[in-house]
């Protein structure tokens, strides 16, 4: 039951963020949006380092000087994996009229906006599932508290993501209820991916260091490719940088204090 709750925490963050559509009349202020994007970037980078890459290296300590190898390979594969998804899945980012991925005239703008956020959430769901699978394994040094720290950190950064998807949808003329539902739906991929990872955890245990760093690489790709550029465009880019610093430090504190 505790593990199931841990897997659902990130979805709760997305859901609460999407619920902002019921209490906020206007779109998010541009400065607030930059700060939230920067904050999400900081959380994801810190989680990638402390919750995924460092444990992957620790689990490979028997390789001595080459303990970095599984982590290095995993990060690179994770980045390539997300690069492929980015090129294949049709999606549309906020404040951008040109869709990315495979061209599809049948998909509506709202659907492609949701798919853009789903792309962000895929590596996050994988990360949570892999860390909880590692915590359940006797061969891993990852603790349940450390897994919850990652889950809570991702939930915190999911809150602005939920608002960032639901608020613009409302401004596109979609009802509040549907805007909330789309925001909620964008986060459902996380617990699904996490549960599937745990189901196959016994078979995945031998390659756990690679999987941990794979999830880290996927999240790093999302941050570098999407979140940081969006938080840095136009004026007041320093707001995004401040948000990044706060998110990074908060996630670092959570991981060390709870791990």
């Amino acid at each position: 039951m505790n593990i199931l709750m841990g897997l659902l925490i990130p979805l709760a963050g997305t859901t609460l963020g999407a619920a902002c559509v019921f209490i906020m009349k206007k779109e998010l202020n541009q400065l607030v949006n930059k700060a939230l994007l920067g904050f999400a970037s900081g959380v994801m980078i810190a989680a990638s380092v402390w919750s995924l890459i460092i444990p992957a290296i620790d689990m490979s300590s028997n390789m001595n000087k080459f303990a970095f190898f599984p982590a290095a390979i995993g990060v690179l594969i994770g980045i390539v994996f997300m690069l492929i998804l980015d090129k294949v899945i049709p999606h549309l980012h906020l404040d951008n009229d040109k869709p990315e991925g495979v061209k599809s005239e049948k998909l509506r703008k709202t659907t492609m906006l949701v798919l853009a956020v789903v792309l962000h959430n895929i590596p996050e769901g994988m990360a949570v599932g892999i860390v909880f699978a590692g915590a359940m394994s006797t061969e891993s040094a990852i603790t349940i508290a450390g897994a919850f720290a990652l889950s809570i950190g991702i939930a915190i950064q999911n809150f602005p993501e939920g608002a960032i998807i639901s608020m613009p949808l409302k401004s596109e003329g979609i009802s509040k209820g549907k805007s909330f539902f789309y925001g909620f739906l964008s986060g459902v991929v996380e617990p699904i991916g996490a549960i599937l990872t745990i189901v196959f955890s016994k078979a995945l245990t031998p390659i756990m260091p690679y999987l941990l760093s794979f999830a880290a690489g996927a999240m790093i790709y999302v941050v570098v490719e999407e979140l940081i550029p969006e938080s840095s465009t136009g004026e007041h880019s320093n707001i995004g940088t401040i948000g990044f610093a706060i998110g990074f430090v908060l996630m670092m504190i959570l991981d060390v204090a709870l791990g």
Side-chain angles (χ1 to χ4, degrees):
M1 179 61 73
N2 287 339
I3 292 175
L4 179 60
M5 183 176 67
L7 300 182
L8 292 175
I9 287 175
L11 177 59
T14 304
T15 304
L16 289 173
C20 289
V21 74
F22 295 114
I23 58 176
M24 296 176 66
K25 295 182 179 181
K26 299 180 180 180
E27 282 190 46
L28 288 173
N29 178 276
Q30 188 177 12
L31 294 183
V32 173
N33 190 35
K34 286 180 178 292
L36 293 178
L37 287 170
F39 178 85
S41 301
V43 169
M44 290 177 72
I45 291 296
S48 297
V49 175
W50 269 271
S51 300
L52 299 170
I53 293 176
I54 291 178
I57 293 174
D58 289 342
M59 290 175 68
S60 307
S61 58
N62 62 318
M63 299 177 69
N64 299 319
K65 291 183 178 181
F66 293 96
F68 67 86
F69 184 78
I73 296 298
V75 167
L76 293 175
I77 294 175
I79 290 173
V80 171
F81 173 75
M82 287 304 298
L83 178 62
I84 293 171
L85 288 186
D86 203 21
K87 296 296 182 183
V88 172
I89 297 177
H91 59 284
L92 179 67
H93 295 286
L94 294 174
D95 301 323
N96 194 335
D97 295 327
K98 186 178 180 181
E100 297 181 16
V102 176
K103 292 183 179 180
S104 177
E105 297 180 358
K106 295 182 180 180
L107 292 177
R108 294 187 298 176
K109 181 178 180 179
T110 53
T111 303
M112 289 193 287
L113 283 169
V114 172
L115 285 174
V117 179
V118 168
L119 268 176
H120 292 189
N121 290 340
I122 288 174
E124 295 168 14
M126 292 166 52
V128 171
I130 291 168
V131 169
F132 270 99
M136 294 166 61
S137 172
T138 56
E139 299 178 20
S140 170
I142 300 172
T143 64
I144 288 291
F148 267 93
L150 175 64
S151 190
I152 292 169
I154 289 179
I156 291 171
Q157 73 93 26
N158 277 354
F159 180 86
E161 277 195 357
I164 287 170
I165 189 66
S166 64
M167 295 299 293
L169 289 178
K170 186 185 73 171
S171 67
E172 291 284 334
I174 297 176
S175 67
K176 291 182 179 180
K178 283 188 176 181
S179 297
F180 167 76
F181 177 71
Y182 283 132
F184 165 79
L185 199 61
S186 70
V188 171
V189 66
E190 292 192 22
I192 292 175
I195 290 170
L196 288 175
T197 302
I198 290 179
V199 168
F200 295 103
S201 60
K202 288 186 178 179
L204 298 175
T205 297
I207 57 171
M208 189 64 69
Y210 293 93
L211 292 175
L212 287 168
S213 49
F214 172 88
M219 290 207 295
I220 290 170
Y221 175 88
V222 170
V223 171
V224 176
E225 171 70 14
E226 307 292 351
L227 300 185
I228 289 179
E230 288 177 18
S231 68
S232 302
T233 55
E235 299 179 353
H236 307 296
S237 60
N238 57 333
I239 299 296
T241 304
I242 294 170
F244 179 95
I246 295 172
F248 186 94
V249 171
L250 178 60
M251 185 61 216
M252 178 181 67
I253 291 171
L254 276 175
D255 189 81
V256 175
L258 297 181

